[in-house]
Amino acid sequence: MASCIEVGGSWSTNEDIALCQSWVNISHDPITGNEMKFHHMWSKIHGEFCQRSGSIRTEMALSSRWKLLNKELGKWRNALTKAKANIQSGQNLTDEMVQAQMWFGAMRQGKKSFVHFQCWEIVKDCSRFKIIPTGPPVVMNETSLHDSRSTDSPLDSPMETESPFVPRPPRPIGRKAAKAKRGATSSNDCVQLLEQIAKSATLRIERDLKRDEMDKAREEAFALQQQMAQEKDIEDREMKIMAMDTSHMSPETKAYWKLRRRDVMRKKLFNDDRPSNTDWLNDENH
């Protein structure tokens, strides 16, 4: 293994990919992955990283970079988990990714979006980053399971004996239940807001795609017009060459225009654009 020295500068995407691949291969080795000490593990990761990327960074640089990537990848896993749990019927992968980016941005206070998608594809099956599906939220009935309209003895409740269909007044909920209910309402409002943001983002993406398609069509039409104008200009020049009156010209000039006409004919008949050889015109002894 070649020795490595410290280098500065920002990390490239290829270096991040090589670091993630090396981390997965070494730390998840079925034979030695669970038995290696921390320093020995990073020494092996460092060796494989240098072989994969050709970069010359130290073990400390790799360890520091992995702390940042590990944090970003963990937040992206959490964002994807929330997006998958919140995705509705009829929505596609694009909607899910938009919602995931919204959750990720909320975790980062809107500072930036997630960009390490190639690294995510490498580590997503590792136990640390695996997404565990969550079921829908369970709403409990506020009615007590032991609530009953009848008692064991009519003597204990004479009102119910005389009028068994009179409803009981609802029991006031406690402070904890009221706080939980307010929290659930706030959570639902947040989910609805995120759904509206995701729908708006989806519409904006579709609108941008349509605009790009229209711009591309305009550019292609403009290029076609330019090509047609250029071909017409060439056609006009060739017509002038073929119609050139050489009766009053010198023998050298006549020979030149004869070659030009020959070029036009060769292009029309054989689709050959190569010019005729006119070096003899520069021959001083001619």
Side-chain angles (χ1 to χ4, degrees):
M1 179 183 68
S3 61
C4 296
I5 60 174
E6 179 69 42
V7 295
S10 59
W11 281 68
S12 65
T13 301
N14 290 335
E15 286 181 311
D16 286 340
I17 293 173
L19 176 57
C20 291
Q21 290 173 334
S22 302
W23 179 82
V24 171
N25 291 342
I26 299 302
S27 63
H28 289 73
D29 188 293
I31 299 177
T32 61
N34 295 329
E35 299 177 357
M36 281 190 296
K37 294 183 179 180
F38 181 82
H39 176 73
H40 183 54
M41 180 187 74
W42 275 105
S43 177
K44 296 190 69 174
I45 291 175
H46 178 248
E48 181 167 337
F49 170 82
C50 290
Q51 292 179 358
R52 284 181 176 273
S53 66
S55 177
I56 48 176
R57 295 186 185 269
T58 63
E59 291 182 26
M60 183 178 296
L62 267 64
S63 177
S64 298
R65 181 61 178 176
W66 175 248
K67 288 180 181 179
L68 295 176
L69 286 176
N70 182 41
K71 187 176 180 181
E72 294 287 294
L73 293 168
K75 289 183 178 180
W76 180 243
R77 175 206 57 203
N78 296 338
L80 277 177
T81 302
K82 291 178 185 263
K84 287 180 180 294
N86 191 49
I87 202 71
Q88 296 181 355
S89 176
Q91 293 181 315
N92 53 28
L93 181 60
T94 302
D95 300 319
E96 181 180 311
M97 296 300 291
V98 169
Q99 287 198 31
Q101 287 286 16
M102 295 293 179
W103 284 108
F104 185 84
M107 296 177 192
R108 299 296 304 269
Q109 287 80 42
K111 290 183 179 180
K112 65 177 182 178
S113 301
F114 181 76
V115 295
H116 303 290
F117 293 103
Q118 292 173 293
C119 293
W120 172 253
E121 291 298 321
I122 296 170
V123 305
K124 67 180 182 181
D125 293 327
C126 299
S127 56
R128 179 182 298 186
F129 301 106
K130 189 171 293 186
I131 297 176
I132 301 176
T134 57
V138 179
V139 179
M140 301 299 293
N141 193 340
E142 294 181 358
T143 304
S144 174
L145 294 177
H146 301 288
D147 192 11
S148 175
R149 298 290 183 183
S150 60
T151 59
D152 294 335
S153 172
L155 298 176
D156 296 332
S157 181
M159 287 292 295
E160 288 190 1
T161 304
E162 297 174 3
S163 180
F165 298 103
V166 175
R168 286 187 176 184
R171 293 179 57 188
I173 60 175
R175 287 189 296 176
K176 290 185 178 180
K179 185 177 180 181
K181 187 175 182 180
R182 288 195 301 271
T185 303
S186 176
S187 177
N188 290 335
D189 293 341
C190 181
V191 169
Q192 291 178 0
L193 177 61
L194 286 174
E195 289 177 354
Q196 293 177 358
I197 294 174
K199 290 179 180 178
S200 300
T202 302
L203 292 175
R204 185 172 63 253
I205 292 172
E206 293 177 352
R207 186 172 59 251
D208 292 343
L209 290 175
K210 290 181 180 179
R211 186 176 62 249
D212 292 341
E213 291 176 357
M214 293 177 63
D215 292 342
K216 183 178 179 181
R218 282 194 295 267
E219 291 175 358
E220 291 177 351
F222 179 72
L224 181 60
Q225 289 179 352
Q226 285 188 321
Q227 182 180 357
M228 293 174 63
Q230 185 179 8
E231 291 176 353
K232 187 178 184 305
D233 184 54
I234 294 174
E235 183 72 21
D236 292 341
R237 289 202 303 268
E238 291 176 348
M239 290 294 293
K240 290 180 180 179
I241 292 172
M242 296 301 295
M244 179 68 67
D245 181 14
T246 61
S247 60
H248 60 284
M249 297 180 182
S250 64
E252 290 83 0
T253 307
K254 287 181 179 181
Y256 170 77
W257 286 108
K258 184 178 180 180
L259 289 175
R260 293 292 302 273
R261 289 172 180 170
R262 188 181 299 170
D263 290 341
V264 174
M265 294 299 296
R266 188 168 61 245
K267 178 181 177 183
K268 294 294 184 182
L269 296 175
F270 306 107
N271 197 23
D272 186 358
D273 292 337
R274 293 176 299 174
S276 298
N277 186 6
T278 58
D279 293 341
W280 61 271
L281 293 173
N282 300 323
D283 190 355
E284 295 179 356
N285 298 325
H286 188 274

